[in-house]
Amino acid sequence: MKDKKTLTFSIMDGPYEQARTVTVFRLLDNAARRGYNLNVFAYEGAVNLPFSKQSKHPNAVHGHDAAEEDHPLPKDWVASLIQTAKKHGGALDWINCGLCVDERGAHEAIEGCRRGTPGDLWKWAQQSDNTLIVGTR
Amino acid sequence: MEKYLLIESRDPYETREVENNYALASSLAIAGNDVTLFLVQNGVLPARKGAKLNGLQEVINSGVHVLGDEFSLRERGIAMDTLPKGIRAAPIDVVVDQLAEGRKAIWL
Amino acid sequence: MKVLQIIDSAYRCTIEEQDDPAVWITHAMKGAGADLDVLLCGNAVNYAVKGQDASGLRFGEIVQKNPPKLDNDIARLIGKNINVMVYSEDTAARGITEAQLLPGVRRVSRTEAPTIFSRYDQLWHW
């Protein structure tokens, strides 16, 4: 394992309307497998990523029922990233911006994701080797 | 000399700001900094052979390390062995490496 | 640690409580002790223009009582001793004159970016 580092990410987008979710998940996955300590500050629509009420559904265009389609949901990927970080000796701490949660009614987050404030982002940034802000466009 | 990591996720065909971002990368390199421009998502579209580079050639000429994300290239059917001279395919590990080394990083 | 907040996304949050989330989070983090400056570029240079008015939105019977006041939000940043800069090329391209900018906003050229960036530990692009 490479030297343990701490990286902080801030993301702003909901799961699907753009490509940044994919890239950020790839970065988190890569860093988690190195055993890094990771912090994610979910701002604005990104608070929907770990929303626990997401559910699988059939895909008639693919001709699949929900089980056959077996489409991974963002909340499951977030949970898996948290587990992957832990498995490799690191940690992934996830904070949802509390006011953003309130505005969107996204209160039910999966285990491992908690509510916080922009002050948490600043605190994390000071404690991290680097911080990447992934703004929305 | 400082080290910069610029991550460009957009292409110059849809978004004019991208040409400003290319110019930023060039200016940082010309000022003597070590600059990586990592193209990802639609940011790799100019890396297709025959595509209009819209300022990316100047970035290459200025000494910036221009990298194209392997997954984004593959996702768009851009063969990695046909990239223009000065653009190299790279795994996303590079971004994590450079974040970890503490480079000044900007998601453009 | 000193951070430069680079903001270019603009006018996408007219009905969100935070006016502009990047400007808002700058205020919030400053309140938490952060050392920040702001560089407005692209369409966000218009945030530094005096006399913005987003009032009057009414959908059905519901009126937006507290619309965004971005010029006020920027002026309050300056009031907190946060340096607010705009790219002069971007204001010029949009026909924004110096007289139309809020007092205290500093115009800088894109060619100065390497020098400006060198003064900050991190660059956060919103």
Side-chain angles (χ1 to χ4, degrees):
Chain A
M1 184 172 56
K2 297 185 182 181
D3 294 342
K4 186 186 285 283
K5 299 283 185 177
T6 300
L7 300 178
T8 293
F9 296 83
S10 178
I11 52 178
M12 300 176 76
D13 293 294
Y16 300 121
E17 288 76 12
Q18 37 64 50
R20 288 175 289 278
T21 303
V22 173
T23 306
V24 171
F25 278 6
R26 291 175 62 213
L27 290 170
L28 291 172
D29 178 79
N30 189 293
R33 290 176 193 282
R34 300 178 185 211
Y36 287 3
N37 290 325
L38 302 169
N39 303 312
V40 178
F41 184 78
Y43 193 42
E44 291 206 271
V47 299
N48 286 312
L49 290 167
F51 183 55
S52 65
K53 298 294 171 90
Q54 298 166 14
S55 59
K56 296 187 177 187
H57 53 78
N59 188 326
V61 172
H62 290 172
H64 293 161
D65 62 23
E68 290 167 335
E69 185 70 15
D70 195 23
H71 180 71
L73 295 164
K75 69 178 173 79
D76 298 327
W77 264 320
V78 171
S80 185
L81 287 166
I82 291 170
Q83 288 306 314
T84 300
K86 194 174 175 182
K87 179 179 159 191
H88 290 270
L92 194 162
D93 195 0
W94 184 293
I95 287 180
N96 276 336
C97 162
L99 298 184
C100 307
V101 165
D102 293 343
E103 288 256 324
R104 291 161 179 80
H107 297 91
E108 294 98 339
I110 61 165
E111 189 178 339
C113 302
R114 58 199 168 94
R115 186 185 172 96
T117 71
D120 294 312
L121 170 60
W122 181 252
K123 190 165 74 179
W124 271 346
Q126 288 180 295
Q127 297 165 350
S128 298
D129 293 288
N130 214 337
T131 297
L132 182 66
I133 305 295
V134 182
T136 190
R137 296 285 174 264
Chain B
M1 181 184 75
E2 293 188 302
K3 293 183 176 181
Y4 286 87
L5 167 63
L6 307 183
I7 303 166
E8 180 55 84
S9 63
R10 295 179 292 178
D11 62 87
Y13 316 119
E14 189 173 72
T15 309
R16 288 202 60 193
E17 186 63 18
V18 171
E19 292 186 34
N20 284 328
N21 295 337
Y22 291 168
L24 171 65
S26 296
S27 69
L28 288 168
I30 290 166
N33 298 295
D34 181 347
V35 182
T36 294
L37 177 66
F38 190 85
L39 307 175
V40 67
Q41 300 167 201
N42 284 339
V44 301
L45 288 175
R48 189 190 303 277
K49 187 179 181 184
K52 290 183 179 175
L53 289 172
N54 289 54
L56 196 53
Q57 187 61 53
E58 286 73 16
V59 179
I60 296 166
N61 295 345
S62 69
V64 172
H65 307 288
V66 182
L67 306 177
D69 171 51
E70 288 177 351
F71 175 81
S72 303
L73 290 165
R74 181 161 49 83
E75 186 179 32
R76 287 158 183 77
I78 300 172
M80 294 179 207
D81 57 359
T82 64
L83 303 183
K85 191 177 178 188
I87 304 178
R88 284 190 297 114
I92 204 156
D93 306 57
V94 172
V95 174
V96 179
D97 288 342
Q98 296 196 0
L99 286 172
E101 79 176 68
R103 284 190 178 225
K104 290 185 180 180
I106 315 176
W107 182 286
L108 295 167
Chain C
M1 184 173 76
K2 194 169 182 68
V3 169
L4 180 63
Q5 299 271 86
I6 305 170
I7 302 172
D8 71 1
S9 175
Y11 297 104
R12 62 178 180 80
C13 297
T14 306
I15 62 168
E16 192 166 5
E17 185 196 17
Q18 293 146 313
D19 299 358
D20 176 277
V23 175
W24 186 89
I25 203 170
T26 305
H27 276 287
M29 289 192 294
K30 180 72 176 176
D35 189 3
L36 306 161
D37 286 336
V38 170
L39 172 62
L40 300 173
C41 56
N43 288 334
V45 296
N46 208 85
Y47 281 177
V49 171
K50 291 182 280 191
Q52 299 174 54
D53 180 6
S55 66
L57 285 180
R58 176 191 184 108
F59 306 139
E61 297 306 316
I62 299 176
V63 176
Q64 187 182 29
K65 294 175 185 162
N66 291 295
K69 294 178 180 170
L70 266 306
D71 47 0
N72 187 48
D73 293 342
I74 297 297
R76 288 195 302 115
L77 289 177
I78 295 168
K80 293 176 180 175
N81 293 319
I82 292 174
N83 288 313
V84 177
M85 297 168 274
V86 293
Y87 275 144
S88 54
E89 292 88 345
D90 296 6
T91 55
R94 290 160 180 79
I96 299 168
T97 65
E98 188 165 10
Q100 291 171 309
L101 293 174
L102 294 162
V105 171
R106 191 156 72 86
R107 293 194 304 165
V108 298
S109 170
R110 284 183 172 272
T111 61
E112 297 176 66
T115 305
I116 294 168
F117 287 8
S118 70
R119 297 183 194 131
Y120 297 90
D121 299 302
Q122 293 190 8
L123 307 158
W124 293 4
H125 187 207
W126 297 88

